[in-house]
Amino acid sequence: MNYILLTGGAGYIGSHTALALLRAGYQVISFDNYSNSSATALKRVEKLAGGNIICLSGDIRDEAALSAVFRQYPVAAVIHFAGLKAVGESTEQPLHYYDNNVGGTITLCRVMREFNVKKLVFSSSATVYGDAKTVPIDETAPRSATNPYGQSKLMIEHILADLVNAEPDWGITLLRYFNPVGADSSGQIGEDPNGIPNNLMPFISQVAVGKRDKLNIFGNDYPTADGTGVRDYIHVVDLAAGHLKALQYLENHQGIEAINLGTGTGYSVLEMVNAFVRVNQVEVPYQIAPRRPGDIASCFARPDKALKLLGWQAEKTLADMVRDSWHWQRQNPNGYAENK
Ligand code: NAD
Ligand code: WQD
């Protein structure tokens, strides 16, 4: 298993995984339409790793372009990051989200089958658990979705399960990420959201760097210890390592497995803000705002299955997460763009 195709390889999680793969000696092919990323990320990864990535620009819905990749390179496995991920936008543009995420995945699988490449790691999400009744959440918890983005992940999980059912020689891992944060410790690559960040950590970082006045904390009346929402934040470098373990697992396993990638520990919004301030010695002004529609009180993983099946567990601390997020933001106040 040497050539690994990363769809969406230039994105936040894809670029960190590309770095880990290069360092582990894999040949990395990135196939990305750059709808939410910059080729600069991959240039920086190459520099950090001292190796080359085959960087291809293309859309996973373009069957001919994807086929050309498989014709040219001996792809052993695919890590499928490509997808749109903004929850609010998905509600406004459901057809676009279903077309891109679900349609794109079907096209990818069709091409993979044509070239007899049947090892796939899929970027799923804790969003498939909807508003879980109990925490920590294990992989057998009921699944539901409250928005088209989440629905697209759920649909893809079902489609891939049906595929394995029909063709048992596929090996598929559904990695259900919890809340990815942080950046490579070099500060060279990181999360670069377009416009106003939806997610907590990039918002905190942009307040700290002076791009935004203050953080709105969405609700302090949840049934949690301090009233603010609790999530399982996971360092993106730990997440990247999980993908390498999933690839190794697929070398000698067929069938389909859903696996949580989380730390197993939940932190509240206030705990995140306080850690960021304490570790980085910066100010993060905030105010309490109304709850954000669709938010849940508490969500964190039971990560035992990842340890048992993949031999993976998160190693980074909360201090690592907030320090590395800040390091990236401070060095790249405008992300990858020159003047954003
Ligand atoms: P990202 O937006 O940074 O990366 C996704 C990449 O896919 C981008 O580079 C984008 O340009 C590319 N892309 C999108 N549609 C494409 C298409 N049709 N063809 C080719 N490339 C396309 O997002 P990320 O945070 O790195 O997330 C990666 C994956 O993990 C996504 O599928 C996302 O849904 C999933 N996920 C992310 C999170 C999170 O909070 N970041 C949590 C759970 C799951
Ligand atoms: C975390 C906490 C907010 C911003 C989302 C997607 C999910 C997954 C990860 C892809 C919550 C609070 C946030 C702010 C705040 N993505 N918050 N002020 O909502 O857990 O998950 O990203 O799969 O599908 O739904 O992450 O970072 O948006 O919020 O108070 O400005 O921070 O209310 O408690 P979330 P988040």
Side-chain angles (χ1 to χ4, degrees):
M1 294 246 288
N2 199 15
Y3 279 79
I4 309 297
L5 173 63
L6 272 50
T7 69
Y12 172 45
I13 305 169
S15 56
H16 285 84
T17 305
L19 179 58
L21 286 168
L22 276 186
R23 284 181 170 154
Y26 288 93
Q27 303 282 340
V28 177
I29 307 167
S30 167
F31 185 84
D32 198 307
N33 66 0
Y34 303 113
S35 58
N36 194 39
S37 56
S38 161
T40 306
L42 293 173
K43 291 268 159 290
R44 292 189 181 180
V45 169
E46 289 182 323
K47 228 176 179 176
L48 285 169
N52 292 324
I53 296 173
I54 300 163
C55 296
L56 306 173
S57 173
D59 194 298
I60 53 166
R61 291 165 295 178
D62 182 344
E63 193 153 349
L66 264 184
S67 297
V69 178
F70 284 81
R71 206 168 294 120
Q72 187 168 0
Y73 301 101
V75 176
V78 177
I79 310 183
H80 177 30
F81 297 106
L84 299 171
K85 62 167 183 176
V87 172
E89 189 181 67
S90 79
T91 306
E92 290 153 18
Q93 303 175 36
L95 294 181
H96 183 41
Y97 269 66
Y98 289 126
D99 179 45
N100 195 81
N101 294 4
V102 181
T105 301
I106 293 172
T107 302
L108 171 67
C109 289
R110 231 186 352 241
V111 174
M112 288 177 67
R113 183 177 49 191
E114 191 188 328
F115 288 87
N116 203 30
V117 177
K118 295 191 167 181
K119 295 187 185 305
L120 175 67
V121 178
F122 171 63
S123 296
S124 191
S125 166
T127 193
V128 301
Y129 295 120
D131 191 354
K133 295 274 166 292
T134 53
V135 281
I137 305 170
D138 73 28
E139 290 82 354
T140 63
R143 290 172 293 168
S144 66
T146 51
N147 56 71
Y149 167 70
Q151 196 67 254
S152 75
K153 291 291 176 191
L154 203 45
M155 285 178 178
I156 295 167
E157 287 204 355
H158 285 304
I159 290 166
L160 296 177
D162 288 344
L163 178 59
V164 169
N165 194 31
E167 301 175 20
D169 58 336
W170 281 79
I172 300 182
T173 310
L174 311 171
L175 296 181
R176 294 182 182 152
Y177 315 149
F178 279 66
N179 288 60
V181 295
D184 184 67
S185 61
S186 65
Q188 285 295 298
I189 55 173
E191 187 172 10
D192 181 19
N194 278 327
I196 302 170
N198 297 306
N199 293 117
L200 179 66
M201 188 58 93
F203 206 105
I204 291 177
S205 303
Q206 292 196 7
V207 171
V209 86
K211 286 184 80 173
R212 317 224 166 253
D213 287 350
K214 54 169 106 73
L215 169 74
N216 283 313
I217 294 185
F218 298 139
N220 67 348
D221 56 353
Y222 284 104
T224 60
D226 63 23
T228 64
V230 168
R231 297 289 184 276
D232 188 335
Y233 297 94
I234 167 139
H235 198 296
V236 67
V237 169
D238 278 334
L239 209 55
H243 291 77
L244 269 70
K245 295 284 191 180
L247 278 182
Q248 287 159 12
Y249 177 82
L250 287 180
E251 280 179 22
N252 44 28
H253 290 87
Q254 294 182 339
I256 186 164
E257 291 290 347
I259 301 177
N260 286 342
L261 292 187
T263 65
T265 302
Y267 291 108
S268 74
V269 178
L270 275 173
E271 284 175 312
M272 295 306 285
V273 174
N274 291 336
F276 198 99
V277 168
R278 186 181 66 248
V279 171
N280 298 321
Q281 297 290 302
V282 289
E283 286 184 28
V284 179
Y286 66 82
Q287 66 186 11
I288 304 299
R291 288 183 181 195
R292 184 172 62 178
D295 271 359
I296 56 180
S298 190
C299 174
F300 54 95
R302 186 183 293 284
D304 302 16
K305 189 173 175 184
L307 183 58
K308 192 165 162 232
L309 255 54
L310 307 182
W312 173 92
Q313 62 186 344
E315 286 168 6
K316 302 272 186 186
T317 64
L318 176 58
D320 295 330
M321 299 183 209
V322 295
R323 188 195 55 242
D324 293 338
S325 293
W326 176 234
H327 191 201
W328 152 253
Q329 181 72 58
R330 200 185 37 183
Q331 284 190 196
N332 305 271
N334 298 311
Y336 294 111
E338 296 302 318
N339 346 275
K340 230 194 222 169

